[in-house]
Amino acid sequence: MRSGLLVLWWAPGSLLTVADILESYEGIRELSDGYLLPLVIHLQGMVGITANARTAMLECDLTSRVGFVGTGPVDQVIAAFVEQSLSESRYFESPAKAEAWAGEARSLD
């Protein structure tokens, strides 16, 4: 966590399971102390995500915004699927742009 922004790096070569997702959610809960903070998730080099993990990601609303950072087609597919989650999300190839977007205040309409 830095300046009210959570940053999560998945290791290159990772195949995310539901256990990985649930453990990351526990860390998010601990770091956010009850607040909905923006999150940037680095997907670079992952090999995929299991069906149960995708479902768990879609059901989560622990963050205000999620910026996904990736560099390849697998990253884009993962990000596209989880863009359907409860948190506002967007895919970026630039970590700086993802962090800037995620950290922007959400406008209330």
Side-chain angles (χ1 to χ4, degrees), residues 17-40:
T17 65
V18 71
D20 297 323
I21 300 302
L22 296 177
E23 287 177 25
S24 69
Y25 288 168
E26 186 58 35
I28 290 168
R29 278 189 201 96
E30 288 177 23
L31 290 170
S32 64
D33 194 29
Y35 294 94
L36 291 179
L37 299 175
L39 172 66
V40 172

Side-chain angles (χ1 to χ4, degrees), residues 8 19 36 39 61 68 83 87 101:
L8 175 62
L36 291 179
L39 172 66
D61 64 349
F68 293 98
E83 282 180 344
S87 298
W101 176 83

Side-chain angles (χ1 to χ4, degrees), residues 13-99:
S14 294
L15 172 64
L16 296 184
T17 65
V18 71
D20 297 323
I21 300 302
L22 296 177
E23 287 177 25
S24 69
Y25 288 168
E26 186 58 35
I28 290 168
R29 278 189 201 96
E30 288 177 23
L31 290 170
S32 64
D33 194 29
Y35 294 94
L36 291 179
L37 299 175
L39 172 66
V40 172
I41 300 176
H42 291 265
L43 306 171
Q44 297 98 320
M46 290 180 48
V47 296
I49 181 170
T50 67
N52 289 339
R54 287 192 304 264
T55 300
M57 288 183 85
L58 290 177
E59 295 171 351
C60 177
D61 64 349
L62 296 176
T63 60
S64 59
R65 285 183 139 185
V66 181
F68 293 98
V69 180
T71 56
V74 172
D75 304 339
Q76 288 176 320
V77 169
I78 293 169
F81 180 82
V82 294
E83 282 180 344
Q84 303 168 42
S85 70
L86 298 174
S87 298
E88 183 179 6
S89 60
R90 192 165 160 199
Y91 179 81
F92 298 88
E93 291 186 355
S94 162
K97 288 182 180 178
E99 290 180 14

